[in-house]
Amino acid sequence: PCLHNEHYAYLDVFHHLVRSVRGFMFNAPGEMELAKALFGEDLIAKKGGVVGMGFEFSEEAPENKERSQLSYLLYSGRKETGKNLDLLIDCFSYFKKQNPESELELKIIGSGSIDFLKELPAGVTDCGFVTEEEKISLMRGALALCQPSVNESFSIVLMEAWREGTAVIVHSGCAVTR
């Protein structure tokens, strides 16, 4: 169901829906645990199970990365405070102030606009919405993919980054990505 610990999950209509469906397929154990906490352990245990998601791997293995040569972190997703993008930008900006000689950059890709800031801090670039090929290329070239959201039921971009041999940084407050 891609259940998130957000306001809609607490609405009465979802409690009714959960009681009336035959079963659930969860993307991750953390998502199923949230459903148990919200709707009752017995109900979810009877009706649900974790099935995950599948990913295609290319025939080519990702190249070994020379980490010392990589110069940017990558964020891929919706550009909104609900995904903690503001927190990531603040943390990156703090890092740059403490390490002014660092050439590390933060590249942001995805849909939407960063309308919660008047301007981006030094070292942060909004690359906009990119093609699938550009996204994969950016993932391959990144030091790490940053996924700061605490509301994930499954993170496809994490799997895509790992598929490309790229490390990920996640928020410890998200049971699924942690």
mmCIF file of all heavy atoms in Angstrom, residues 121-162:
data_model
loop_
_atom_site.group_PDB
_atom_site.id
_atom_site.type_symbol
_atom_site.label_atom_id
_atom_site.label_comp_id
_atom_site.label_asym_id
_atom_site.label_seq_id
_atom_site.Cartn_x
_atom_site.Cartn_y
_atom_site.Cartn_z
ATOM 1 N N PRO A 121 22.109 27.804 -1.212
ATOM 2 C CA PRO A 121 23.428 28.119 -0.656
ATOM 3 C C PRO A 121 24.549 27.706 -1.617
ATOM 4 O O PRO A 121 24.333 26.916 -2.549
ATOM 5 C CB PRO A 121 23.498 27.294 0.624
ATOM 6 C CG PRO A 121 22.201 26.592 0.783
ATOM 7 C CD PRO A 121 21.393 26.809 -0.446
ATOM 8 N N ALA A 122 25.723 28.208 -1.368
ATOM 9 C CA ALA A 122 26.900 27.874 -2.188
ATOM 10 C C ALA A 122 27.114 26.362 -2.201
ATOM 11 O O ALA A 122 26.981 25.694 -1.179
ATOM 12 C CB ALA A 122 28.137 28.571 -1.625
ATOM 13 N N GLY A 123 27.402 25.860 -3.373
ATOM 14 C CA GLY A 123 27.690 24.438 -3.531
ATOM 15 C C GLY A 123 26.475 23.574 -3.797
ATOM 16 O O GLY A 123 26.604 22.378 -4.023
ATOM 17 N N VAL A 124 25.274 24.164 -3.769
ATOM 18 C CA VAL A 124 24.039 23.411 -4.017
ATOM 19 C C VAL A 124 23.513 23.779 -5.399
ATOM 20 O O VAL A 124 23.350 24.956 -5.711
ATOM 21 C CB VAL A 124 22.966 23.705 -2.946
ATOM 22 C CG1 VAL A 124 21.688 22.928 -3.245
ATOM 23 C CG2 VAL A 124 23.480 23.367 -1.551
ATOM 24 N N THR A 125 23.246 22.763 -6.212
ATOM 25 C CA THR A 125 22.745 22.980 -7.560
ATOM 26 C C THR A 125 21.457 22.209 -7.775
ATOM 27 O O THR A 125 21.399 21.006 -7.512
ATOM 28 C CB THR A 125 23.777 22.495 -8.615
ATOM 29 O OG1 THR A 125 25.021 23.139 -8.382
ATOM 30 C CG2 THR A 125 23.294 22.773 -10.018
ATOM 31 N N ASP A 126 20.418 22.906 -8.225
ATOM 32 C CA ASP A 126 19.170 22.259 -8.600
ATOM 33 C C ASP A 126 19.244 21.960 -10.092
ATOM 34 O O ASP A 126 19.189 22.865 -10.917
ATOM 35 C CB ASP A 126 17.984 23.171 -8.285
ATOM 36 C CG ASP A 126 16.642 22.531 -8.606
ATOM 37 O OD1 ASP A 126 16.620 21.372 -9.095
ATOM 38 O OD2 ASP A 126 15.612 23.181 -8.374
ATOM 39 N N CYS A 127 19.401 20.688 -10.421
ATOM 40 C CA CYS A 127 19.541 20.262 -11.822
ATOM 41 C C CYS A 127 18.186 20.052 -12.495
ATOM 42 O O CYS A 127 18.134 19.725 -13.686
ATOM 43 C CB CYS A 127 20.360 18.982 -11.905
ATOM 44 S SG CYS A 127 22.010 19.105 -11.197
ATOM 45 N N GLY A 128 17.099 20.193 -11.748
ATOM 46 C CA GLY A 128 15.770 20.030 -12.317
ATOM 47 C C GLY A 128 15.399 18.571 -12.517
ATOM 48 O O GLY A 128 16.020 17.664 -11.972
ATOM 49 N N PHE A 129 14.369 18.382 -13.310
ATOM 50 C CA PHE A 129 13.909 17.037 -13.646
ATOM 51 C C PHE A 129 14.789 16.526 -14.777
ATOM 52 O O PHE A 129 14.957 17.199 -15.783
ATOM 53 C CB PHE A 129 12.440 17.069 -14.065
ATOM 54 C CG PHE A 129 11.831 15.712 -14.154
ATOM 55 C CD1 PHE A 129 11.380 15.066 -13.018
ATOM 56 C CD2 PHE A 129 11.707 15.075 -15.378
ATOM 57 C CE1 PHE A 129 10.817 13.801 -13.091
ATOM 58 C CE2 PHE A 129 11.147 13.813 -15.461
ATOM 59 C CZ PHE A 129 10.692 13.174 -14.316
ATOM 60 N N VAL A 130 15.378 15.367 -14.627
ATOM 61 C CA VAL A 130 16.311 14.835 -15.623
ATOM 62 C C VAL A 130 15.763 13.541 -16.222
ATOM 63 O O VAL A 130 14.856 12.921 -15.661
ATOM 64 C CB VAL A 130 17.710 14.580 -14.997
ATOM 65 C CG1 VAL A 130 18.320 15.877 -14.487
ATOM 66 C CG2 VAL A 130 17.654 13.546 -13.895
ATOM 67 N N THR A 131 16.331 13.137 -17.342
ATOM 68 C CA THR A 131 15.939 11.873 -17.968
ATOM 69 C C THR A 131 16.430 10.706 -17.112
ATOM 70 O O THR A 131 17.289 10.867 -16.248
ATOM 71 C CB THR A 131 16.545 11.735 -19.372
ATOM 72 O OG1 THR A 131 17.966 11.616 -19.243
ATOM 73 C CG2 THR A 131 16.179 12.913 -20.264
ATOM 74 N N GLU A 132 15.898 9.540 -17.372
ATOM 75 C CA GLU A 132 16.319 8.335 -16.656
ATOM 76 C C GLU A 132 17.819 8.088 -16.846
ATOM 77 O O GLU A 132 18.522 7.736 -15.904
ATOM 78 C CB GLU A 132 15.502 7.133 -17.145
ATOM 79 C CG GLU A 132 15.719 5.878 -16.349
ATOM 80 C CD GLU A 132 15.180 5.943 -14.926
ATOM 81 O OE1 GLU A 132 14.363 6.818 -14.601
ATOM 82 O OE2 GLU A 132 15.608 5.104 -14.116
ATOM 83 N N GLU A 133 18.301 8.307 -18.060
ATOM 84 C CA GLU A 133 19.724 8.105 -18.345
ATOM 85 C C GLU A 133 20.592 9.094 -17.567
ATOM 86 O O GLU A 133 21.635 8.733 -17.032
ATOM 87 C CB GLU A 133 20.003 8.239 -19.848
ATOM 88 C CG GLU A 133 19.392 7.137 -20.700
ATOM 89 C CD GLU A 133 17.889 7.319 -20.959
ATOM 90 O OE1 GLU A 133 17.371 8.458 -20.841
ATOM 91 O OE2 GLU A 133 17.239 6.304 -21.263
ATOM 92 N N GLU A 134 20.153 10.347 -17.503
ATOM 93 C CA GLU A 134 20.900 11.360 -16.750
ATOM 94 C C GLU A 134 20.895 11.025 -15.252
ATOM 95 O O GLU A 134 21.915 11.183 -14.575
ATOM 96 C CB GLU A 134 20.300 12.753 -16.974
ATOM 97 C CG GLU A 134 20.520 13.293 -18.362
ATOM 98 C CD GLU A 134 19.706 14.551 -18.643
ATOM 99 O OE1 GLU A 134 18.512 14.610 -18.262
ATOM 100 O OE2 GLU A 134 20.277 15.481 -19.232
ATOM 101 N N LYS A 135 19.758 10.541 -14.765
ATOM 102 C CA LYS A 135 19.669 10.170 -13.342
ATOM 103 C C LYS A 135 20.652 9.057 -13.021
ATOM 104 O O LYS A 135 21.393 9.136 -12.034
ATOM 105 C CB LYS A 135 18.243 9.732 -12.997
ATOM 106 C CG LYS A 135 18.091 9.273 -11.546
ATOM 107 C CD LYS A 135 16.677 8.897 -11.214
ATOM 108 C CE LYS A 135 16.338 7.543 -11.742
ATOM 109 N NZ LYS A 135 15.052 7.006 -11.297
ATOM 110 N N ILE A 136 20.689 8.034 -13.842
ATOM 111 C CA ILE A 136 21.602 6.908 -13.609
ATOM 112 C C ILE A 136 23.051 7.378 -13.683
ATOM 113 O O ILE A 136 23.885 6.989 -12.854
ATOM 114 C CB ILE A 136 21.336 5.760 -14.609
ATOM 115 C CG1 ILE A 136 19.915 5.199 -14.398
ATOM 116 C CG2 ILE A 136 22.376 4.665 -14.498
ATOM 117 C CD1 ILE A 136 19.582 4.735 -12.991
ATOM 118 N N SER A 137 23.366 8.232 -14.639
ATOM 119 C CA SER A 137 24.718 8.765 -14.754
ATOM 120 C C SER A 137 25.103 9.573 -13.514
ATOM 121 O O SER A 137 26.215 9.443 -12.991
ATOM 122 C CB SER A 137 24.823 9.636 -16.006
ATOM 123 O OG SER A 137 26.104 10.199 -16.106
ATOM 124 N N LEU A 138 24.177 10.407 -13.030
ATOM 125 C CA LEU A 138 24.443 11.183 -11.814
ATOM 126 C C LEU A 138 24.613 10.265 -10.610
ATOM 127 O O LEU A 138 25.460 10.508 -9.752
ATOM 128 C CB LEU A 138 23.325 12.193 -11.573
ATOM 129 C CG LEU A 138 23.354 13.424 -12.475
ATOM 130 C CD1 LEU A 138 22.016 14.171 -12.418
ATOM 131 C CD2 LEU A 138 24.497 14.351 -12.103
ATOM 132 N N MET A 139 23.832 9.205 -10.541
ATOM 133 C CA MET A 139 23.977 8.252 -9.434
ATOM 134 C C MET A 139 25.330 7.558 -9.480
ATOM 135 O O MET A 139 25.985 7.388 -8.457
ATOM 136 C CB MET A 139 22.862 7.207 -9.461
ATOM 137 C CG MET A 139 21.575 7.724 -8.928
ATOM 138 S SD MET A 139 20.350 6.411 -8.870
ATOM 139 C CE MET A 139 18.992 7.308 -8.146
ATOM 140 N N ARG A 140 25.740 7.152 -10.670
ATOM 141 C CA ARG A 140 27.041 6.487 -10.808
ATOM 142 C C ARG A 140 28.192 7.386 -10.390
ATOM 143 O O ARG A 140 29.181 6.918 -9.848
ATOM 144 C CB ARG A 140 27.264 6.046 -12.257
ATOM 145 C CG ARG A 140 26.518 4.818 -12.631
ATOM 146 C CD ARG A 140 26.866 4.362 -14.023
ATOM 147 N NE ARG A 140 26.047 3.220 -14.371
ATOM 148 C CZ ARG A 140 25.717 2.881 -15.598
ATOM 149 N NH1 ARG A 140 26.149 3.604 -16.614
ATOM 150 N NH2 ARG A 140 24.973 1.835 -15.820
ATOM 151 N N GLY A 141 28.058 8.689 -10.644
ATOM 152 C CA GLY A 141 29.140 9.613 -10.358
ATOM 153 C C GLY A 141 29.136 10.202 -8.966
ATOM 154 O O GLY A 141 30.062 10.912 -8.583
ATOM 155 N N ALA A 142 28.107 9.897 -8.174
ATOM 156 C CA ALA A 142 27.970 10.518 -6.855
ATOM 157 C C ALA A 142 28.796 9.795 -5.792
ATOM 158 O O ALA A 142 28.958 8.574 -5.834
ATOM 159 C CB ALA A 142 26.503 10.534 -6.430
ATOM 160 N N LEU A 143 29.272 10.567 -4.845
ATOM 161 C CA LEU A 143 29.921 9.990 -3.670
ATOM 162 C C LEU A 143 28.885 9.179 -2.891
ATOM 163 O O LEU A 143 29.145 8.075 -2.437
ATOM 164 C CB LEU A 143 30.493 11.107 -2.795
ATOM 165 C CG LEU A 143 31.123 10.702 -1.478
ATOM 166 C CD1 LEU A 143 32.319 9.790 -1.722
ATOM 167 C CD2 LEU A 143 31.571 11.936 -0.705
ATOM 168 N N ALA A 144 27.681 9.740 -2.758
ATOM 169 C CA ALA A 144 26.581 9.045 -2.090
ATOM 170 C C ALA A 144 25.265 9.688 -2.498
ATOM 171 O O ALA A 144 25.224 10.862 -2.852
ATOM 172 C CB ALA A 144 26.736 9.109 -0.573
ATOM 173 N N LEU A 145 24.213 8.902 -2.433
ATOM 174 C CA LEU A 145 22.853 9.404 -2.598
ATOM 175 C C LEU A 145 22.323 9.714 -1.206
ATOM 176 O O LEU A 145 22.456 8.897 -0.298
ATOM 177 C CB LEU A 145 21.964 8.353 -3.255
ATOM 178 C CG LEU A 145 20.492 8.750 -3.337
ATOM 179 C CD1 LEU A 145 20.245 9.640 -4.547
ATOM 180 C CD2 LEU A 145 19.595 7.532 -3.371
ATOM 181 N N CYS A 146 21.724 10.883 -1.029
ATOM 182 C CA CYS A 146 21.153 11.278 0.263
ATOM 183 C C CYS A 146 19.643 11.124 0.219
ATOM 184 O O CYS A 146 18.992 11.682 -0.666
ATOM 185 C CB CYS A 146 21.508 12.730 0.578
ATOM 186 S SG CYS A 146 23.279 13.008 0.717
ATOM 187 N N GLN A 147 19.085 10.379 1.162
ATOM 188 C CA GLN A 147 17.644 10.165 1.264
ATOM 189 C C GLN A 147 17.226 10.547 2.689
ATOM 190 O O GLN A 147 17.162 9.704 3.569
ATOM 191 C CB GLN A 147 17.320 8.708 0.948
ATOM 192 C CG GLN A 147 15.882 8.277 1.137
ATOM 193 C CD GLN A 147 14.874 9.097 0.396
ATOM 194 O OE1 GLN A 147 14.574 10.199 0.805
ATOM 195 N NE2 GLN A 147 14.348 8.580 -0.690
ATOM 196 N N PRO A 148 16.959 11.848 2.932
ATOM 197 C CA PRO A 148 16.694 12.308 4.294
ATOM 198 C C PRO A 148 15.254 12.139 4.775
ATOM 199 O O PRO A 148 14.951 12.453 5.918
ATOM 200 C CB PRO A 148 17.057 13.795 4.221
ATOM 201 C CG PRO A 148 16.730 14.175 2.808
ATOM 202 C CD PRO A 148 17.083 12.954 1.979
ATOM 203 N N SER A 149 14.372 11.624 3.958
ATOM 204 C CA SER A 149 12.964 11.509 4.326
ATOM 205 C C SER A 149 12.766 10.516 5.468
ATOM 206 O O SER A 149 13.444 9.486 5.531
ATOM 207 C CB SER A 149 12.149 11.049 3.114
ATOM 208 O OG SER A 149 10.811 10.818 3.483
ATOM 209 N N VAL A 150 11.826 10.834 6.350
ATOM 210 C CA VAL A 150 11.457 9.882 7.398
ATOM 211 C C VAL A 150 10.158 9.170 7.050
ATOM 212 O O VAL A 150 9.720 8.290 7.774
ATOM 213 C CB VAL A 150 11.330 10.563 8.787
ATOM 214 C CG1 VAL A 150 12.669 11.085 9.248
ATOM 215 C CG2 VAL A 150 10.289 11.656 8.775
ATOM 216 N N ASN A 151 9.532 9.524 5.920
ATOM 217 C CA ASN A 151 8.258 8.948 5.506
ATOM 218 C C ASN A 151 8.416 8.163 4.217
ATOM 219 O O ASN A 151 7.982 8.592 3.163
ATOM 220 C CB ASN A 151 7.208 10.054 5.320
ATOM 221 C CG ASN A 151 6.872 10.741 6.610
ATOM 222 O OD1 ASN A 151 6.687 10.086 7.624
ATOM 223 N ND2 ASN A 151 6.810 12.053 6.600
ATOM 224 N N GLU A 152 9.026 7.005 4.314
ATOM 225 C CA GLU A 152 9.191 6.152 3.143
ATOM 226 C C GLU A 152 8.592 4.779 3.431
ATOM 227 O O GLU A 152 8.771 4.238 4.515
ATOM 228 C CB GLU A 152 10.676 5.994 2.790
ATOM 229 C CG GLU A 152 11.353 7.273 2.360
ATOM 230 C CD GLU A 152 10.734 7.922 1.134
ATOM 231 O OE1 GLU A 152 10.464 7.215 0.140
ATOM 232 O OE2 GLU A 152 10.508 9.140 1.174
ATOM 233 N N SER A 153 7.899 4.231 2.454
ATOM 234 C CA SER A 153 7.418 2.857 2.570
ATOM 235 C C SER A 153 8.390 1.919 1.854
ATOM 236 O O SER A 153 8.442 0.737 2.139
ATOM 237 C CB SER A 153 6.031 2.727 1.965
ATOM 238 O OG SER A 153 6.064 3.076 0.596
ATOM 239 N N PHE A 154 9.137 2.489 0.947
ATOM 240 C CA PHE A 154 10.169 1.793 0.190
ATOM 241 C C PHE A 154 10.845 2.874 -0.623
ATOM 242 O O PHE A 154 10.183 3.790 -1.094
ATOM 243 C CB PHE A 154 9.555 0.753 -0.744
ATOM 244 C CG PHE A 154 10.562 -0.095 -1.460
ATOM 245 C CD1 PHE A 154 11.155 -1.165 -0.819
ATOM 246 C CD2 PHE A 154 10.925 0.182 -2.763
ATOM 247 C CE1 PHE A 154 12.091 -1.947 -1.471
ATOM 248 C CE2 PHE A 154 11.858 -0.600 -3.425
ATOM 249 C CZ PHE A 154 12.435 -1.669 -2.775
ATOM 250 N N SER A 155 12.127 2.826 -0.778
ATOM 251 C CA SER A 155 12.807 3.880 -1.519
ATOM 252 C C SER A 155 13.427 3.312 -2.786
ATOM 253 O O SER A 155 14.479 2.675 -2.743
ATOM 254 C CB SER A 155 13.883 4.539 -0.654
ATOM 255 O OG SER A 155 14.525 5.552 -1.392
ATOM 256 N N ILE A 156 12.758 3.549 -3.894
ATOM 257 C CA ILE A 156 13.257 3.054 -5.174
ATOM 258 C C ILE A 156 14.614 3.666 -5.488
ATOM 259 O O ILE A 156 15.504 2.973 -5.974
ATOM 260 C CB ILE A 156 12.232 3.349 -6.296
ATOM 261 C CG1 ILE A 156 10.964 2.520 -6.060
ATOM 262 C CG2 ILE A 156 12.827 3.055 -7.670
ATOM 263 C CD1 ILE A 156 9.809 2.863 -6.976
ATOM 264 N N VAL A 157 14.793 4.954 -5.182
ATOM 265 C CA VAL A 157 16.083 5.586 -5.509
ATOM 266 C C VAL A 157 17.234 4.961 -4.733
ATOM 267 O O VAL A 157 18.359 4.915 -5.227
ATOM 268 C CB VAL A 157 16.077 7.127 -5.353
ATOM 269 C CG1 VAL A 157 15.157 7.776 -6.364
ATOM 270 C CG2 VAL A 157 15.756 7.553 -3.952
ATOM 271 N N LEU A 158 16.989 4.444 -3.525
ATOM 272 C CA LEU A 158 18.043 3.741 -2.789
ATOM 273 C C LEU A 158 18.469 2.494 -3.554
ATOM 274 O O LEU A 158 19.665 2.218 -3.707
ATOM 275 C CB LEU A 158 17.553 3.328 -1.400
ATOM 276 C CG LEU A 158 18.074 4.096 -0.223
ATOM 277 C CD1 LEU A 158 17.606 5.510 -0.194
ATOM 278 C CD2 LEU A 158 17.721 3.371 1.044
ATOM 279 N N MET A 159 17.490 1.747 -4.019
ATOM 280 C CA MET A 159 17.797 0.523 -4.761
ATOM 281 C C MET A 159 18.534 0.852 -6.065
ATOM 282 O O MET A 159 19.478 0.164 -6.441
ATOM 283 C CB MET A 159 16.515 -0.247 -5.086
ATOM 284 C CG MET A 159 15.726 -0.695 -3.878
ATOM 285 S SD MET A 159 16.632 -1.853 -2.845
ATOM 286 C CE MET A 159 16.612 -0.955 -1.304
ATOM 287 N N GLU A 160 18.104 1.926 -6.719
ATOM 288 C CA GLU A 160 18.765 2.327 -7.958
ATOM 289 C C GLU A 160 20.211 2.735 -7.687
ATOM 290 O O GLU A 160 21.112 2.387 -8.452
ATOM 291 C CB GLU A 160 18.008 3.484 -8.621
ATOM 292 C CG GLU A 160 16.663 3.071 -9.171
ATOM 293 C CD GLU A 160 15.823 4.242 -9.649
ATOM 294 O OE1 GLU A 160 15.958 5.367 -9.104
ATOM 295 O OE2 GLU A 160 15.026 4.037 -10.572
ATOM 296 N N ALA A 161 20.437 3.461 -6.605
ATOM 297 C CA ALA A 161 21.799 3.876 -6.262
ATOM 298 C C ALA A 161 22.669 2.659 -5.955
ATOM 299 O O ALA A 161 23.795 2.552 -6.446
ATOM 300 C CB ALA A 161 21.791 4.841 -5.079
ATOM 301 N N TRP A 162 22.153 1.745 -5.143
ATOM 302 C CA TRP A 162 22.915 0.538 -4.822
ATOM 303 C C TRP A 162 23.212 -0.273 -6.073
ATOM 304 O O TRP A 162 24.291 -0.837 -6.217
ATOM 305 C CB TRP A 162 22.164 -0.318 -3.808
ATOM 306 C CG TRP A 162 22.224 0.222 -2.406
ATOM 307 C CD1 TRP A 162 23.165 1.069 -1.895
ATOM 308 C CD2 TRP A 162 21.321 -0.051 -1.353
ATOM 309 N NE1 TRP A 162 22.888 1.335 -0.586
ATOM 310 C CE2 TRP A 162 21.758 0.662 -0.220
ATOM 311 C CE3 TRP A 162 20.169 -0.822 -1.256
ATOM 312 C CZ2 TRP A 162 21.104 0.606 1.000
ATOM 313 C CZ3 TRP A 162 19.524 -0.873 -0.042
ATOM 314 C CH2 TRP A 162 19.984 -0.171 1.071
#
